[in-house]
Amino acid sequence: MRILKNLSIKNKILLGIGLSFILTMIILLAIVIYQFDYLSDENQTLMESELLERKFDKYEALVKSRAEILSEVYQMRLQEKEAQGETVTEAELRNMMAQLNDDIAIDDLYFYIYDLDGNTISLPPTPAFEGKNRIDLQVRDRALLKEMITLIENKGSGRLSYPYTNPSNGMVETKYGYLQQIEGTDMFVGSGGYQSSYYSIVLRILSKIKNIRDDTFYLLLITFAIIILIIFLIIFDISEYINQNIQQIVSAFKRVENGQLSFKLDIKSEDEFGSLASGFNQMLSRIKKLTYNDPLTGLPNLNFLESNLSETLKKNKDSASDVYLFTLITDNLTLVNSNYGYQKGNEILQELYQRLSKSLSEEMTIARKSDEFIFYFASAKNKAEIQKYAEEIITKLSEPYEVNNNLVYLKIKIGIAVNQEEESCSDLIRKSRLALHFVDEKNNIKFFNQKMLGQLSGRLNLEGKLRKALVNNEFQLFYQPQLETKTDRVIGVEALIRWQHPKEGRISPAEFIPLAEETGMILRLGDWILNEALQQLKSWQNKGYQNLVMSVNIAPQQFQQDDFVQKIEKLLNKHQLEAEFLELEITERTVIKDIEYTVEVLRKLKQLGVKISIDDFGTGYSSLEYLNRFALDKLKIDKSFVHNRSNLNIVKTIIMMGRNLGLEVVAEGVETEEELEFLRENSCNYYQGYYFSRAEKAAVVEKNFSK
C-alpha cells in the first residue's frame, strides 16, 4: 500500500487500467472455460440421453417386429399340423421357436426368448444355457428373469435396463433393452445393447468440443493482448496530459493554502480542465472576498476578527487595560424569519447593525457570524462600567423594528469575556458564547466566570433528569387560591407545577422551567399541566364548587403551536367543562413575538369562551395600543411592584389603566396586611399570595373554598 501511495497519478491510472483489463481478461477466460466445460457436461448428458432414447426406440421396433413374426410362424405351424391331423408337442414348438430365432439374424444383434417360468427358449450367444431354467439368475443382487416376467405379466411389453455381462469384453455393464410377449404363447422375446456401444460416439463429439474450446481460448488471449496494448498507448498519452494539468491545479491549491490569493490558474484548453481552471479562478476571487467579509452587512467576518484579536491580545499582554469581548445574539430572530421570511430577517439584521455601529467607536473591531455580532475593545474600565455600557447597547437595540407595518421586538442577549493571562482568541470567543447560556429573563447580560463551566455541566445533568422525570411522572400540581379583594372570597386557583425528585427532593420551577422552554420539553410538560388542571377542576365541580376558575400558565412555545386553540377545545370537551372556567395566563414576551398572530389566536380563544390574562404585567414591553387590540380579561401585576413601596404609584396606574380598558386586575405576591389594604383602597379586583395561602396540594387548598 505504501508503494501505491508514492506512485504518481499517471502511473496510478496506468496501473489501475492495466490491472482492470487483466482482471477482466482472467474473468472472461474463466467464464469461457467454465461455459465450455459446462457445455461439455451438458452435451454429454444430452447426447447420452438422446442416444439411449434412440437405442430404446430401435430395440422396441425390432423386438415388436420379431414378436409378430414368431407369433405368426407359431400360429401357421399349429394350423399346418392340425390340418394334417397331427399333434405338435410343446418341446417341438419350443425347438421350432429357438431354431427360427437363430436363423433370423440381424448384424451383431441377437434376440433371446424365455417363457414365463424362466426357462430359456433361445439364447444364441450362450447355447449351453438353452433349455435350462434361469429363474434364479442374479447379477449384482438383481433377479433378472423375475423382473422380466413381472414386466410381461403386468404390461405385456416394455423397456428394461439391467446389469449384464458383455460377451465382447467380459465386463458387467448396464444393458438397455425391450421385451415383448409372443402373442398366443407363454413366451416373450427381448433384445438390447450395452452401454459401451454408444460411449465412443459421445467421446468423439466431446473431443471436438474441447478442440473448439482450446482454439477459442488462444484466440481470446491474442485479442486481449492486442486490445490492452492499444489501450495502454492511448491511456499513456491521456495520462500525460491529465498529469500535467493536475500538477498545475495541485500547485495552485498549495499556494491558496499558504495564503496566496492574488493569482490565477493558467490553463488555456477548452475541455474540462479549462472549465475547472475558470471555476477555480472565480472561486478564488469569491474566497478572497468571503475570507474577510460578511456578504449581508459588509462587516468583517470571524476569520478577520480572530486574526486581529490575536494581534490585540499580544499587544495588550503587558498593558494595564483589559480586552473585553462581546458576543451579541438575537433570541427570537428565527421566529421573525418564520413569520416574515428570511429577506425581512436580513433587513432587521442590517438595521440592528446600523444601530449597533452607532454605539461603537471607530477603533472597535466588529464581526458577524450568522445571527451573532462579535466585537471587542481594550479598556481600563471596571466590570460595572462595562455592564452599564452593555445595558445602553441593549436599550437601543431593543426598540421595536418595523416589518410590514408591524412592530417587532428583538430579545437581545450579550455574553462578555475578559481576557486573562495567556488567553487565546478562540478561548475568549468560546467563553463569551458560554456566558450566553446563563442569560435569563431578568438579566440579559452575563460576564463569563469559571463557575459557569461547572454550572453548564450541572445544567446538562439537569436536562437529563428532566427528561427522565417526564417519563417517570415526577411532577405534581399545586394550587394557589385567587381571592376577591373586597370580600376575601376564593374565586379561583392558579395551577403551579412542582417537581419532586426521588433523590434530590423539591427542585424549583425557576430552575427547570427555563430549561424546559429552551429544550422544547415545555410542550409536553404544558400539555400535561393543562390536562391535569382541568381534570382537577372537574373533580371540584363534581363536589359542588361550581364557580371556580382554573388559571393555567402558557409558555410562548405552546402559544405558537398551530393547533393550540384546537388542543384547548379538545381538552374542554374531554373533561366536559365550560370554557368560562378556564383562564390562560400568557406573558408579555409571548404576545409581542408576532402581534397579528397573537390577535388571531386570542380572538379564537375568546370565541371559545376562555378567559385570558397577561401575567407579570409591567415587566416587559407592552404597548397600550396592543392591549387595546388583544381580547383580554385580566392584567396580573407582578409581585415585584407590590412588594416595593417605591413602585406603588405604578400599581395604582396599572389598576386605573385596567379599569379604563375594561379589564380586571389581579395582584400577585401579596404577603402582608398592609399590601392588601393598599390594594383594597385602590379598588384592585383580585389578589393572591402568601398572606392568604401558599400553593398547596388540591386536598389542602380545597379547605379554603368555603371560607
Side-chain angles (χ1 to χ4, degrees):
M1 293 303 292
R2 184 176 297 176
I3 295 174
L4 291 178
K5 289 181 180 179
N6 295 330
L7 289 177
S8 65
I9 293 177
K10 177 184 73 174
N11 291 333
K12 286 181 179 177
I13 292 173
L14 291 173
L15 180 62
I17 294 176
L19 291 176
S20 298
F21 271 95
I22 291 172
L23 183 61
T24 303
M25 180 186 72
I26 293 172
I27 293 173
L28 288 176
L29 289 176
I31 292 173
V32 169
I33 293 171
Y34 171 77
Q35 289 288 20
F36 269 108
D37 289 340
Y38 179 73
L39 180 61
S40 297
D41 294 340
E42 284 292 303
N43 281 339
Q44 182 175 354
T45 302
L46 290 172
M47 285 186 292
E48 288 179 358
S49 177
E50 182 63 25
L51 287 173
L52 181 59
E53 188 66 28
R54 292 185 181 184
K55 284 286 186 182
F56 269 128
D57 291 343
K58 173 184 175 182
Y59 299 143
E60 182 178 350
L62 291 173
V63 169
K64 284 184 177 180
S65 175
R66 175 149 297 206
E68 290 179 4
I69 293 171
L70 291 174
S71 177
E72 289 178 1
V73 172
Y74 179 80
Q75 295 298 331
M76 288 175 58
R77 184 62 56 89
L78 282 178
Q79 291 174 3
E80 288 176 1
K81 290 294 184 179
E82 288 176 359
Q84 296 172 2
E86 298 177 1
T87 60
V88 182
T89 65
E90 186 68 23
E92 289 176 336
L93 287 175
R94 290 174 181 263
N95 289 334
M96 179 189 67
M97 283 291 189
Q99 185 65 39
L100 184 61
N101 186 48
D102 292 342
D103 293 341
I104 307 175
I106 302 177
D107 298 329
D108 59 346
L109 191 68
Y110 70 89
F111 296 86
Y112 49 83
I113 302 174
Y114 295 102
D115 64 16
L116 296 178
D117 293 325
N119 296 311
T120 304
I121 306 302
S122 175
L123 196 60
T126 54
F129 289 141
E130 291 180 18
K132 294 183 179 180
N133 189 297
R134 308 185 72 193
I135 192 70
D136 296 323
L137 175 64
Q138 289 193 355
V139 180
R140 291 182 179 174
D141 298 327
R142 288 182 63 179
L144 303 183
L145 263 292
K146 289 181 180 180
E147 289 185 20
M148 293 180 182
I149 292 169
T150 300
L151 177 63
I152 294 299
E153 288 178 341
N154 291 336
K155 297 182 178 180
S157 63
R159 297 178 179 182
L160 185 67
S161 60
Y162 51 91
Y164 208 76
T165 302
N166 189 339
S168 62
N169 57 26
M171 303 292 291
V172 176
E173 297 181 17
T174 300
K175 189 173 184 180
Y176 304 97
Y178 191 83
L179 305 176
Q180 177 73 47
Q181 186 173 7
I182 301 172
E183 189 176 352
T185 73
D186 63 347
M187 294 174 281
F188 60 91
V189 62
S191 183
Y194 294 93
Q195 189 177 22
S196 59
S197 65
Y198 60 87
Y199 267 8
S200 59
I201 301 173
V202 174
L203 293 175
R204 285 197 301 272
I205 295 173
L206 294 178
S207 177
K208 184 65 176 175
I209 292 174
K210 184 178 182 300
N211 292 334
I212 294 172
R213 181 197 69 182
D214 294 341
D215 293 342
T216 304
F217 179 78
Y218 295 131
L219 180 61
L220 281 173
L221 276 177
I222 295 170
T223 304
F224 270 116
I226 295 172
I227 292 173
I228 288 174
L229 179 61
I230 294 172
I231 290 176
F232 260 92
L233 292 174
I234 295 172
I235 295 300
F236 182 82
D237 183 64
I238 293 174
S239 64
E240 281 287 330
Y241 172 73
I242 293 174
N243 195 50
Q244 291 174 3
N245 287 310
I246 287 179
Q247 288 296 332
Q248 290 189 55
I249 294 170
V250 170
S251 176
F253 273 103
K254 287 183 177 179
R255 293 177 68 182
V256 172
E257 183 181 359
N258 293 328
Q260 300 178 36
L261 302 178
S262 300
F263 73 95
K264 288 187 177 181
L265 191 58
D266 187 22
I267 297 178
K268 304 294 186 182
S269 62
E270 296 182 359
D271 57 10
E272 288 82 356
F273 282 109
S275 299
L276 180 61
S278 176
F280 178 86
N281 292 333
Q282 292 177 13
M283 178 189 70
L284 198 61
S285 176
R286 182 69 173 165
I287 288 174
K288 187 176 179 181
K289 184 176 180 180
L290 293 178
T291 299
Y292 300 116
N293 292 96
D294 167 49
L296 179 64
T297 61
L299 284 171
N301 60 17
L302 198 56
N303 293 329
F304 182 82
L305 181 135
E306 287 180 345
S307 176
N308 282 17
L309 178 57
S310 297
E311 293 297 322
T312 301
L313 290 173
K314 289 178 183 178
K315 292 177 182 179
N316 198 67
K317 189 173 182 180
D318 299 323
S319 173
S321 61
D322 292 319
V323 175
Y324 292 92
L325 185 135
F326 290 60
T327 296
L328 181 150
I329 66 169
T330 55
D331 194 38
N332 56 341
L333 186 63
T334 302
L335 186 60
V336 174
N337 289 335
S338 300
N339 288 333
Y340 300 105
Y342 284 93
Q343 182 62 37
K344 294 297 182 182
N346 288 339
E347 291 176 6
I348 289 179
L349 278 177
Q350 289 173 326
E351 184 178 345
L352 185 149
Y353 165 62
Q354 295 299 327
R355 296 185 190 181
L356 180 60
S357 62
K358 294 177 182 179
S359 299
L360 305 180
S361 60
E362 292 183 1
E363 64 270 14
M364 290 186 187
T365 302
I366 180 172
R368 172 180 173 259
K369 181 183 179 183
S370 186
D371 60 345
E372 292 181 354
F373 288 90
I374 304 172
F375 54 94
Y376 69 90
F377 54 84
S379 174
K381 294 180 179 180
N382 58 35
K383 283 189 177 182
E385 293 173 309
I386 297 298
Q387 172 84 18
K388 185 176 180 181
Y389 173 67
E391 290 172 354
E392 292 173 357
I393 291 176
I394 288 182
T395 300
K396 291 180 180 179
L397 300 185
S398 297
E399 294 177 0
Y401 299 77
E402 186 174 347
V403 179
N404 295 344
N405 296 321
N406 291 319
L407 296 181
V408 174
Y409 292 83
L410 294 183
K411 185 175 182 180
I412 308 298
K413 295 180 179 180
I414 294 180
I416 306 173
V418 187
N419 73 305
Q420 305 294 330
E421 293 183 3
E422 304 298 328
E423 195 89 69
S424 68
C425 63
S426 59
D427 285 340
L428 209 57
I429 293 172
R430 179 178 62 85
K431 289 177 179 179
S432 69
R433 286 174 172 164
L434 181 60
L436 288 170
H437 287 284
F438 294 88
V439 171
D440 52 35
E441 292 295 327
K442 296 181 179 180
N443 191 351
N444 46 15
I445 301 168
K446 286 287 184 180
F447 283 85
F448 171 81
N449 60 66
Q450 292 297 329
K451 293 181 180 179
M452 287 182 176
L453 294 174
Q455 290 172 350
L456 182 61
S457 176
R459 191 170 186 173
L460 293 173
N461 187 35
L462 181 62
E463 180 180 340
K465 292 177 182 176
L466 184 57
R467 294 187 185 279
K468 189 175 180 180
L470 283 169
V471 176
N472 296 339
N473 297 318
E474 296 175 6
F475 298 100
Q476 298 175 334
L477 280 189
F478 279 41
Y479 304 90
Q480 186 174 45
Q482 292 182 344
L483 298 94
E484 191 175 43
T485 307
K486 291 181 179 180
T487 64
D488 285 339
R489 179 177 60 87
V490 176
I491 53 94
V493 294
E494 179 181 0
L496 299 169
I497 190 168
R498 296 292 183 263
W499 179 9
Q500 187 69 29
H501 192 274
K503 293 182 180 179
E504 300 181 13
R506 181 71 59 81
I507 297 178
S508 170
E511 292 184 50
F512 69 83
I513 291 296
L515 183 59
E517 292 184 359
E518 183 179 326
T519 58
M521 285 186 275
I522 193 66
L523 296 177
R524 183 174 172 185
L525 199 56
D527 290 344
W528 178 84
I529 292 171
L530 276 168
N531 184 70
E532 192 76 10
L534 292 181
Q535 183 176 325
Q536 182 59 55
L537 178 61
K538 185 62 178 178
S539 174
W540 279 331
Q541 286 188 355
N542 291 338
K543 291 182 179 181
Y545 305 114
Q546 297 293 333
N547 297 320
L548 285 175
V549 174
M550 177 65 72
S551 183
V552 180
N553 292 281
I554 301 299
Q557 293 91 331
Q558 288 178 271
F559 192 79
Q560 295 296 328
Q561 288 180 292
D562 293 336
D563 61 344
F564 177 68
V565 177
Q566 290 87 336
K567 278 188 176 182
I568 298 298
E569 186 175 9
K570 287 181 180 178
L571 283 171
L572 289 170
N573 291 334
K574 174 184 175 182
H575 296 288
Q576 298 179 345
L577 289 167
E578 296 295 328
E580 62 181 305
F581 298 112
L582 173 62
E583 180 179 299
L584 303 180
E585 296 188 14
I586 56 178
T587 61
E588 292 175 271
R589 65 189 176 98
T590 300
V591 299
I592 65 172
K593 283 191 173 183
D594 184 344
I595 302 302
E596 296 304 322
Y597 173 82
T598 301
V599 169
E600 180 62 18
V601 173
L602 293 181
R603 183 187 63 81
K604 291 179 179 178
L605 290 171
K606 202 65 177 176
Q607 287 178 346
L608 284 180
V610 175
K611 290 182 170 62
I612 306 294
S613 66
I614 296 291
D615 196 15
D616 301 333
F617 184 77
T619 60
Y621 302 97
S622 293
S623 163
L624 292 178
E625 178 188 353
Y626 296 155
L627 290 178
N628 200 36
R629 293 180 62 189
F630 295 155
L632 302 176
D633 295 283
K634 293 179 183 179
L635 299 179
K636 295 191 74 173
I637 305 174
D638 187 70
K639 61 183 179 182
S640 61
F641 296 120
V642 176
H643 294 327
N644 194 335
R645 294 188 63 83
S646 62
N647 291 329
L648 293 182
N649 286 331
I650 296 177
V651 176
K652 285 183 181 180
T653 302
I654 294 174
I655 295 172
M656 186 182 302
M657 181 179 62
R659 187 183 304 119
N660 292 335
L661 291 173
L663 304 176
E664 295 180 322
V665 180
V666 182
E668 294 183 296
V670 178
E671 297 182 359
T672 66
E673 186 175 357
E674 183 182 3
E675 291 171 352
L676 179 57
E677 285 302 320
F678 174 80
L679 295 174
R680 284 174 175 163
E681 289 172 4
N682 289 277
S683 302
C684 180
N685 302 100
Y686 307 107
Y687 77 94
Q688 65 184 84
Y690 291 174
Y691 179 73
F692 182 80
S693 173
R694 293 176 177 269
E696 301 285 356
K697 291 183 178 180
V700 177
V701 78
E702 182 180 322
K703 298 176 182 178
N704 296 306
F705 294 165
S706 58
K707 292 183 180 179

